[in-house]
């Protein structure tokens, strides 16, 4: 990945001095001094003061993006570079803002958006060799990233299929074992059912026999008559 484009230096910016108030210019100069001394939080404060004086100050917006990026706040940096690009009238300066936006996005492996940023940089500055180099690199990295994602998806799908197949085989074996157990228990169950039926039948027959025997005993007894005596 080719170099990052750094802060604007006011002495090198082709903008009429009358555009900004003296306060704006001074805060930007103070911020640039702090930035060069690697005191990025102080630089951020100065750039924010400049923006508070004039929110349309594209230089302050861009430089604030650089300061935020140096502090690891990439999301804010991207937003600042985008603001600066939209405000900037000079195409070369606008290309620098898009280049830095692409740089941060590329660092975060957001290759799709980085490609768009580098393309915008080249639209504003077709001679920007660094943006062209990074664009080609991002296109290759995006293709590799997509291939890796597809491979991961296939692996996940295969893993899920193996899991489902394993569960299916497990359930199949479980059902088979259950069936075998039922098969093994069936003769014993039939034997018990047959024994119970025989016992019930014998009990009924015995009860019927007892009833018949009782009836026969009653029939064999002599009948008794009442005799009336006349006195």
């Amino acid at each position: 990945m080719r170099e990052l484009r750094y802060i604007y230096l006011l002495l090198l910016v082709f903008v009429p001095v009358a555009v900004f108030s003296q306060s704006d210019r001074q805060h930007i100069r103070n911020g640039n001094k702090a930035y060069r001394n690697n005191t990025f939080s102080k630089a951020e404060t100065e750039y924010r003061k400049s923006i508070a004086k004039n929110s349309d100050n594209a230089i302050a917006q861009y430089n604030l993006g650089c300061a935020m990026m140096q502090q690891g706040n990439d999301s804010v940096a991207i937003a600042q570079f985008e603001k600066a690009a939209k405000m900037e009238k000079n195409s070369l300066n606008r290309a620098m803002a898009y280049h830095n936006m692409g740089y941060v996005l590329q660092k975060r492996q957001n290759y799709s958006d980085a490609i768009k940023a580098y393309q915008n940089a080249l639209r504003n500055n077709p001679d920007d060799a660094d943006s062209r180099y990074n664009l080609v690199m991002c296109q290759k990295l995006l293709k590799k990233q997509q291939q890796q994602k597809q491979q991961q998806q296939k692996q996940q799908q295969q893993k899920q299929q193996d899991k489902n197949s394993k569960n299916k085989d497990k359930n199949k074996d479980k059902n088979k074992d259950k069936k075998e157990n039922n098969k093994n228990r069936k003769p014993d169950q039939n034997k018990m059912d047959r024994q119970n039926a025989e016992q019930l039948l014998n009990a009924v027959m015995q009860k019927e026999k007892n009833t018949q025997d009782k009836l026969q005993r009653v029939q064999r007894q002599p009948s008794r008559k009442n005799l009336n005596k006349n006195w």
Side-chain angles (χ1 to χ4, degrees), residues 1-226:
M1 183 165 51
R2 291 288 178 87
E3 65 179 6
L4 173 70
R5 304 296 167 78
Y6 294 102
I7 59 172
Y8 286 136
L9 297 177
L10 280 178
L11 296 177
L12 301 179
V13 177
F14 301 103
V15 179
V17 176
V19 173
F20 305 117
S21 68
Q22 183 65 32
S23 179
D24 292 331
R25 289 166 56 82
Q26 188 58 52
H27 284 305
I28 292 175
R29 285 199 179 98
N30 293 341
N32 291 351
K33 182 178 179 181
Y35 189 98
R36 287 192 295 269
N37 291 331
N38 294 329
T39 53
F40 302 116
S41 60
K42 184 176 180 180
E44 174 194 349
T45 300
E46 292 297 327
Y47 295 141
R48 288 190 183 280
K49 288 179 180 179
S50 179
I51 293 171
K53 296 289 183 179
N54 182 1
S55 60
D56 295 329
N57 189 330
I59 297 174
Q61 298 283 3
Y62 175 92
N63 288 3
L64 176 59
C66 292
M68 297 307 297
M69 188 194 63
Q70 294 291 356
Q71 295 178 85
N73 199 333
D74 291 343
S75 298
V76 176
I78 292 170
Q80 290 304 130
F81 292 139
E82 187 173 14
K83 286 181 182 179
K86 291 178 179 178
M87 293 178 183
E88 185 57 64
K89 304 301 180 182
N90 184 284
S91 61
L92 295 180
N93 293 342
R94 191 160 53 244
M96 290 175 66
Y98 281 123
H99 177 91
N100 278 12
M101 189 188 307
Y103 183 95
V104 178
L105 290 165
Q106 183 177 353
K107 186 179 68 172
R108 299 181 72 177
Q109 298 184 354
N110 187 347
Y111 302 121
S112 180
D113 288 342
I115 288 172
K116 295 176 183 178
Y118 289 133
Q119 288 173 338
N120 284 329
L122 289 169
R123 288 190 185 99
N124 287 276
N125 182 13
D127 297 328
D128 188 350
D130 289 339
S131 290
R132 182 173 288 104
Y133 177 90
N134 287 358
L135 172 62
V136 173
M137 181 178 288
C138 282
Q139 289 171 337
K140 292 179 180 179
L141 290 171
L142 177 62
K143 184 177 180 180
K144 183 178 180 180
Q145 188 182 65
Q146 291 172 340
Q147 290 174 344
Q148 290 176 343
K149 186 176 181 180
Q150 291 175 353
Q151 184 65 28
Q152 289 175 353
Q153 289 176 345
K154 288 181 181 179
Q155 290 176 352
Q156 289 294 332
Q157 290 175 354
Q158 185 62 44
K159 186 176 180 180
Q160 186 63 40
Q161 288 176 357
D162 293 343
K163 184 178 180 180
N164 293 338
S165 178
K166 186 176 180 180
N167 290 336
K168 186 177 180 180
D169 293 341
K170 186 176 180 180
N171 292 333
K172 185 177 179 181
D173 293 339
K174 186 177 180 180
N175 292 333
K176 183 178 179 181
D177 293 341
K178 184 176 181 180
K179 187 175 180 180
E180 289 293 333
N181 292 334
N182 292 337
K183 184 178 179 181
N184 293 333
R185 287 198 302 267
K186 193 171 181 180
D188 294 338
Q189 185 66 40
N190 291 337
K191 184 177 180 180
M192 291 178 64
D193 292 343
R194 193 161 52 249
Q195 289 176 350
N196 291 337
E198 290 177 356
Q199 290 176 358
L200 290 173
L201 180 61
N202 291 335
V204 171
M205 292 176 65
Q206 184 64 39
K207 185 176 181 180
E208 179 66 22
K209 184 175 181 300
N210 293 338
T211 301
Q212 291 293 333
D213 291 344
K214 185 177 180 180
L215 181 60
Q216 290 176 4
R217 286 197 300 271
V218 171
Q219 290 176 350
R220 285 197 296 269
Q221 290 179 359
S223 59
R224 294 180 180 181
K225 293 182 179 180
N226 292 327

